[in-house]
């Protein structure tokens, strides 16, 4: 009885000011660096993991948000390499779970460097890219994805601009550093980037922005002031419907392209695309008129 009472008393005391439990040491974020080689439709990927000696299993994402089948584009992976202390480590692909890779971390090693290329990516052309982070990373199989933190870096071709719901912490030329986030948040925060870009503010507090990317500069001007005014009305109408908002800021990411485009809602952004002439072709605009409203509304779900 005394031992039980002492244990309860201790737990009660640790919840009081001055008796906080010792914080659990979190591993450093996984460093993920991606270079966009748009001319050749390649992502050059480097990752750095904090590891412990012994068996290690890494996984390429198989089930992709917004898809309805296990369609992670692993067939586009090339040149997968694992390095530790400057030496290449042997690895093997699981014979049953084909998205899974196994290796053994040697004694005395606490950092693992991984490199790979993702080639022939379909949502990319020489002027524009719509990049899903899940297509350019591996993750350890030991814990749920939400328990891992990733610090992403993105290098774009010279002169390109980008949009994403991620928070940038610094820029070095064409290289952008983003704040660390949980892996599930990273996957839910795609990046659209391109040479031809137009930023259209729709609301200030919280910020809502329409980011236009196109295969030519002329396509950016096909969005009219009348259409912008209609989009600006969308934001208060959604607030009236839901009586709240779930985001700190929201970015529509629209691709005016016949080669790059998607339709997928995320927590603080959406990927949108309905062809290069979406705003200038009355028939196409009529058929796809609900594109942005659909993705915006579904982000509440």
């Amino acid at each position: 009885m005394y031992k039980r009472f002492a244990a309860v008393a201790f737990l009660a005391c640790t919840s009081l000011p001055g008796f906080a439990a010792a914080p659990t040491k979190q591993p450093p974020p996984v460093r993920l660096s991606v270079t966009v080689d748009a001319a050749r439709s390649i992502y050059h990927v480097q990752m750095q993991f904090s590891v412990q000696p012994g068996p290690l299993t890494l996984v390429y994402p198989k089930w992709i948000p917004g898809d309805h089948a296990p369609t992670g584009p692993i067939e586009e992976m090339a040149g997968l390499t694992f390095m530790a202390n400057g030496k290449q480590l042997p690895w093997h692909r699981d014979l049953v779970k084909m998205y899974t890779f196994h290796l053994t971390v040697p004694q005395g090693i606490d950092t693992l460097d991984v490199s790979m290329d993702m080639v022939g990516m379909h949502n990319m052309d020489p002027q524009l890219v719509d990049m899903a982070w899940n297509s350019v990373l591996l993750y350890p199989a030991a814990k749920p994805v939400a328990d891992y933190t990733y610090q992403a870096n993105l290098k774009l071709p010279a002169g390109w601009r980008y949009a994403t719901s991620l928070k940038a912490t610094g820029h070095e030329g064409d290289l952008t550093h983003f704040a660390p986030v949980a892996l599930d948040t990273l996957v839910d925060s795609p990046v659209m980037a391109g040479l031809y870009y137009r930023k259209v503010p729709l609301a200030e507090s919280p910020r809502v922005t329409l980011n236009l990317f196109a295969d030519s500069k002329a396509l950016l001007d096909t969005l009219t002031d009348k259409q912008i005014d209609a989009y600006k009305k969308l934001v208060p109408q959604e607030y009236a419907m839901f009586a709240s908002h779930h985001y700190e800021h929201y970015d529509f990411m629209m691709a005016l392209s016949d080669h790059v485009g998607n339709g997928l809602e995320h927590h603080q952004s959406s990927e949108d695309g309905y062809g290069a002439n979406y705003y200038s072709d009355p028939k196409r605009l009529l058929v796809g008129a609900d594109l942005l409203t659909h993705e915006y509304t579904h982000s509440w779900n």
Side-chain angles (χ1 to χ4, degrees), residues 64-84:
I64 308 305
D67 286 7
H68 305 284
T71 56
I74 196 169
E75 70 279 1
E76 297 174 346
M77 182 188 293
L80 180 62
T81 304
F82 299 92
M83 303 287 294

Side-chain angles (χ1 to χ4, degrees), residues 225-235 237:
D225 291 341
K226 182 178 180 180
Q227 291 163 338
I228 293 173
D229 289 339
Y231 283 140
K232 288 182 177 180
K233 295 176 182 177
L234 170 63
V235 179
Q237 289 171 351

